[in-house]
């Protein structure tokens, strides 16, 4: 029997514990396993290679993403590190022009040193993607909605391009989660998550996940996962499984709140720009609707020049200034100096990550309270029309 997503969130992967009947997968807090004789083990040898709690989460993310194989890592970046290790010296990746700063950093400061290079492309422009294809390009790496400008890339169409040219399509699905968008079903080869965000959902665990359909690709990734060793610990695997159980109810509220707040911001007169793919005026709106079941809960905006974003951050009461996103609590951040500081200023500016940009991870608090907090902080940030950018 195949279950729908709301049932899979709770019963997907490995449901409970066969041995005791416990309704939750136990935390197998062990590094190693007794072997009954040389070469005779019960499927588990050493917890970097495999651990039953982690395996339950790995099966769960595979089920949720409509894949066959899943892998869990100690962070989103550990997952990205392992995925990028699929490539060899001389290979090139096409990469979306606004991506998480840490993804840019590992490409630019780590993998480039091993001669694995990248070309930055506005991947919402399909012709630009096609034009960037070359023999040395081995993969297209996209985020959609992208971090932090929420740019939408048409996954189906980019998948057609990657398939036509025999390239791998990698999608970072952190912002929407499989509850809203399933890239493997749209033709992608590999999905990455920072499980730290909506999947965990409570800002208490760092984790990364990968899901794929193809057995050969999965075997290579399992090999690299064990060889590199950035695996997720049993306790953290348990916490992410627990977080995923409530993903559906949390996302419903996140998206509802975000829709209201994006509408409010765009008609408030306080902002000069709102980026949210759920607004009809957003350039990605139609594609977003075709490929996902909701626009997510990340909003970016630029305050009107009358307001000083520094004072705005300091004046918030309910909403917290912090790195990260996707938790039940609302967080704001300043991409230029926080999440995207690793991207050189000229590249940031050229793609629109201006110093005044504010990124808002809309939580599941009462939307009226969130709007009230935004409004009082914006009002307090009025700075005589002069912004001090020392
Ligand atoms: C879209 C995206 N991908 C990957 C990462 C990296 O994940 P982690 O912080 O869990 O290493 C982040 C972190 O903010 C992110 O926003």
């Amino acid at each position: 029997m195949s279950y729908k997503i709301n049932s899979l969130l709770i019963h997907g992967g490995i449901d409970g514990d066969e041995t005791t009947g416990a309704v939750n997968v136990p935390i197998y807090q062990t590094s190693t396993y007794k072997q009954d004789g040389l070469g005779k083990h019960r499927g588990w040898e050493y917890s970097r290679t495999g651990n039953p709690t982690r395996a339950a989460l790995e099966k769960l993310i595979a089920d949720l993403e409509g894949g066959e194989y899943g892998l869990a890592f100690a962070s989103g970046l550990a997952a990205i590190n392992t995925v990028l290790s699929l490539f060899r010296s001389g290979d090139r990746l096409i990469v979306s022009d606004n991506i998480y700063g840490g993804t840019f950093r590992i490409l630019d400061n780590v993998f480039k040193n091993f001669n694995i290079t990248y070309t930055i492309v506005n991947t919402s422009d399909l012709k630009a993607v096609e034009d960037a294809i070359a023999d040395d390009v081995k993969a297209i790496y996209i985020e959609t909605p992208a971090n932090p400008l929420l740019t939408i890339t048409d996954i189906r169409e980019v998948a057609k391009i990657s398939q036509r040219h025999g390239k791998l399509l990698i999608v970072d699905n952190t912002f929407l989660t499989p509850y809203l968008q399933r890239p493997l079903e749209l033709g992608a080869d590999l999905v990455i998550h920072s499980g730290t965000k909506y999947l965990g959902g409570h800002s208490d665990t760092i984790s990364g996940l990968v899901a794929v359909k193809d057995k050969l690709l999965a075997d290579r990734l399992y090999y690299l996962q064990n060889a590199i060793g950035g695996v997720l610990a049993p306790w953290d695997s348990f916490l992410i499984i627990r977080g995923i159980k409530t993903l559906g109810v949390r996302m419903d509220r996140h998206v509802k709140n975000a829709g209201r707040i994006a509408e409010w911001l765009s008609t408030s007169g306080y902002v000069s720009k709102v980026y949210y793919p759920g607004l009809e005026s957003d350039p990605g709106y139609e594609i977003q609707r075709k490929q996902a079941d909701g626009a997510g809960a990340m909003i970016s905006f630029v305050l009107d020049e009358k307001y000083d974003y520094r004072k705005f951050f300091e004046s918030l009461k309910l909403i917290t200034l912090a790195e990260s996103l996707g938790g039940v609590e609302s967080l704001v951040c300043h991409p230029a100096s926080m999440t995207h500081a690793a991207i050189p200023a000229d590249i940031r500016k050229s793609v629109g990550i201006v110093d005044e940009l504010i990124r808002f991870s809309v939580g599941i608090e009462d939307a009226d309270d969130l709007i009230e907090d935004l409004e009082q902080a914006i009002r307090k940030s009025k700075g005589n029309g002069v912004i001090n950018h020392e």
Side-chain angles (χ1 to χ4, degrees), residues 74-80 99-103 141 143 145-147 172-175 192-197 205-208 323-325 339-340 359:
S75 69
L77 267 167
I80 292 167
I99 52 168
Y100 169 57
T103 307
Y141 187 114
E143 278 179 21
N147 186 356
D172 184 326
N173 200 27
T174 299
F175 272 26
I192 294 180
H193 283 280
S194 168
T196 314
K197 311 293 166 19
T205 316
I206 301 280
S207 72
E323 304 260 1
S324 203
L325 60 107
T339 49
H340 291 70
R359 195 190 72 182

Side-chain angles (χ1 to χ4, degrees), residues 58-196:
E58 292 178 326
K59 178 81 178 75
L60 178 58
I61 194 64
D63 285 357
L64 295 175
E65 285 288 0
E68 294 290 332
Y69 308 94
L71 299 99
F73 297 90
S75 69
L77 267 167
I80 292 167
N81 182 15
T82 304
V83 168
L84 293 179
S85 300
L86 289 166
F87 304 103
R88 289 164 190 267
S89 170
D91 290 351
R92 174 178 293 276
L93 286 89
I94 293 173
V95 178
S96 293
D97 66 355
N98 69 97
I99 52 168
Y100 169 57
T103 307
F104 177 82
R105 180 176 52 208
I106 194 172
L107 282 163
D108 194 52
N109 285 336
V110 181
F111 280 88
K112 209 168 74 184
N113 298 335
F114 302 114
N115 197 30
I116 293 164
T117 52
Y118 61 87
T119 305
I120 291 182
V121 171
N122 171 1
T123 51
S124 53
D125 177 351
L126 296 173
K127 181 164 181 319
V129 176
E130 184 87 55
D131 288 351
I133 297 279
D135 283 349
D136 62 347
V137 168
K138 295 293 181 305
I140 306 173
Y141 187 114
I142 63 173
E143 278 179 21
T144 180
N147 186 356
L149 293 174
L150 293 319
T151 320
I152 299 301
T153 292
D154 190 325
I155 301 175
R156 272 193 200 89
E157 291 304 319
V158 174
K160 282 185 200 157
I161 297 175
S162 67
Q163 282 162 12
R164 198 161 55 241
H165 294 280
K167 317 290 182 193
L168 211 61
L169 176 58
I170 302 169
V171 181
D172 184 326
N173 200 27
T174 299
F175 272 26
L176 290 190
T177 81
Y179 183 68
L180 298 177
Q181 174 172 278
R182 287 171 297 283
L184 297 180
E185 293 175 0
L186 302 172
D189 299 292
L190 194 155
V191 171
I192 294 180
H193 283 280
S194 168
T196 314

Side-chain angles (χ1 to χ4, degrees), residues 148-308:
L149 293 174
L150 293 319
T151 320
I152 299 301
T153 292
D154 190 325
I155 301 175
R156 272 193 200 89
E157 291 304 319
V158 174
K160 282 185 200 157
I161 297 175
S162 67
Q163 282 162 12
R164 198 161 55 241
H165 294 280
K167 317 290 182 193
L168 211 61
L169 176 58
I170 302 169
V171 181
D172 184 326
N173 200 27
T174 299
F175 272 26
L176 290 190
T177 81
Y179 183 68
L180 298 177
Q181 174 172 278
R182 287 171 297 283
L184 297 180
E185 293 175 0
L186 302 172
D189 299 292
L190 194 155
V191 171
I192 294 180
H193 283 280
S194 168
T196 314
K197 311 293 166 19
Y198 293 101
L199 296 176
H202 295 76
S203 304
D204 56 11
T205 316
I206 301 280
S207 72
L209 297 162
V210 166
V212 297
K213 274 186 167 167
D214 181 71
K215 166 102 172 68
L216 282 179
L217 185 56
D219 285 346
R220 183 80 190 125
L221 285 165
Y222 287 127
Y223 179 86
L224 290 169
Q225 182 190 39
N226 182 51
I228 296 170
V231 293
L232 192 64
W235 170 249
D236 290 351
S237 300
F238 168 82
L239 283 176
I240 301 298
I241 294 171
R242 188 168 78 153
I244 287 174
K245 287 185 197 292
T246 56
L247 180 69
V249 283
R250 283 187 285 110
M251 285 314 274
D252 286 346
R253 173 79 76 82
H254 277 297
V255 174
K256 199 166 158 219
N257 279 359
R260 254 199 77 193
I261 289 167
E263 288 289 347
W264 175 80
L265 277 171
S266 57
T267 53
S268 67
Y270 295 130
V271 297
S272 59
K273 184 100 193 132
V274 180
Y275 299 90
Y276 182 61
L279 289 173
E280 272 182 54
S281 55
D282 190 276
Y285 178 76
E286 283 304 332
I287 293 167
Q288 168 68 21
R289 267 168 51 109
K290 274 195 283 173
Q291 68 187 15
D293 299 326
M298 296 301 297
I299 301 174
S300 288
F301 59 94
V302 178
L303 289 176
D304 184 88
E305 59 182 13
K306 289 197 291 292
Y307 305 99
D308 181 339

